Amino acid sequence: IPQPSGNSYASSAPIGAYTCKDGTSLMISVGTDAQWVTFAQALGQEQWLENETYSTMSGRASHRAEIDDLVNSVFSQYTSDELAEMLQARKCVYGKVNNLEAVANHPQIAHRQTMVNAVYPNGHGPRDRLPDHPAGLQHHGDPFRSGERGPSA
C-alpha cells in the first residue's frame, strides 16, 4: 500500500517545495527528462546533465535524496525572486509558496475582489472570505454574508 509522500512524486524528482536564500519556498515540478535538461540549464548546472544516473525520470527518482541535495544547494544561493526569474526565462514549472499575508496583498486578489471583509450574522467568524462561493457558505444553517453584522455575543 503506498504511503503518503508529501509533495514528492514516486516516479520522478525533483518535485516539491525548496527553500530559497530569503526563506521563501518555490514549488517545482520536473516531471519529464526534457524538463530536467531545461531545469538544469536554467540553474546553470549543466554538469548535472553529465551524470547518466540523473538522465531518466526513474534514475532521478531512485536518487531522490541526492537530487534534493543538489537542488537545495543551488536554491540556498538565490532569493525566490532571482530563482523565479531564472526559471521563468526557461519556462520551467514552478510557483512561489505564499503565506497568508502575501496572498491577501497579491494584486490579482485585489483586482478580482476575491477576498472581502465578512462577518457572520451573529458577529463571530473569520474576517475574510471568498465572495459568492458556489457552495453557499453557511454557519450552523445561517448564511455567511459579506458586510452584514449580527448581534454581539
Side-chain angles (χ1 to χ4, degrees):
I1 297 176
Q3 297 298 309
S5 60
N7 290 321
S8 66
Y9 185 64
S11 65
S12 189
I15 294 176
Y18 296 85
T19 304
C20 305
K21 182 169 131 179
D22 58 7
T24 299
S25 294
L26 291 184
M27 186 77 177
I28 61 168
S29 178
V30 180
T32 69
D33 297 337
Q35 287 176 349
W36 172 248
V37 172
T38 304
F39 179 71
Q41 292 170 339
L43 298 179
Q45 302 297 315
E46 286 84 0
Q47 72 276 12
W48 293 353
L49 304 175
E50 297 168 12
N51 186 331
E52 288 188 30
T53 304
Y54 303 155
S55 67
T56 64
M57 287 174 46
S58 60
R60 291 189 303 278
S62 297
H63 294 84
R64 180 179 320 285
E66 293 172 29
I67 297 290
D68 285 345
D69 287 345
L70 291 172
V71 174
N72 281 319
S73 176
V74 173
F75 274 42
S76 69
Q77 298 173 37
Y78 297 95
T79 67
S80 57
D81 288 339
E82 292 168 335
L83 278 164
E85 187 175 314
M86 294 162 66
L87 295 169
Q88 182 65 35
R90 295 302 304 250
K91 299 186 182 342
C92 295
V93 178
Y94 79 94
K96 191 177 279 189
V97 179
N98 291 318
N99 61 23
L100 184 58
E101 181 181 358
V103 170
N105 293 320
H106 193 280
Q108 190 66 11
I109 296 295
H111 173 76
R112 297 196 64 195
Q113 299 178 350
T114 55
M115 227 176 187
V116 297
N117 288 331
V119 178
Y120 282 106
N122 66 2
H124 295 285
R127 187 178 82 66
D128 299 311
R129 73 147 179 112
L130 299 176
D132 302 323
H133 189 281
L137 297 177
Q138 295 194 1
H139 179 266
H140 301 293
D142 295 326
F144 184 69
R145 295 187 179 97
S146 176
E148 291 185 8
R149 193 169 282 290
S152 300

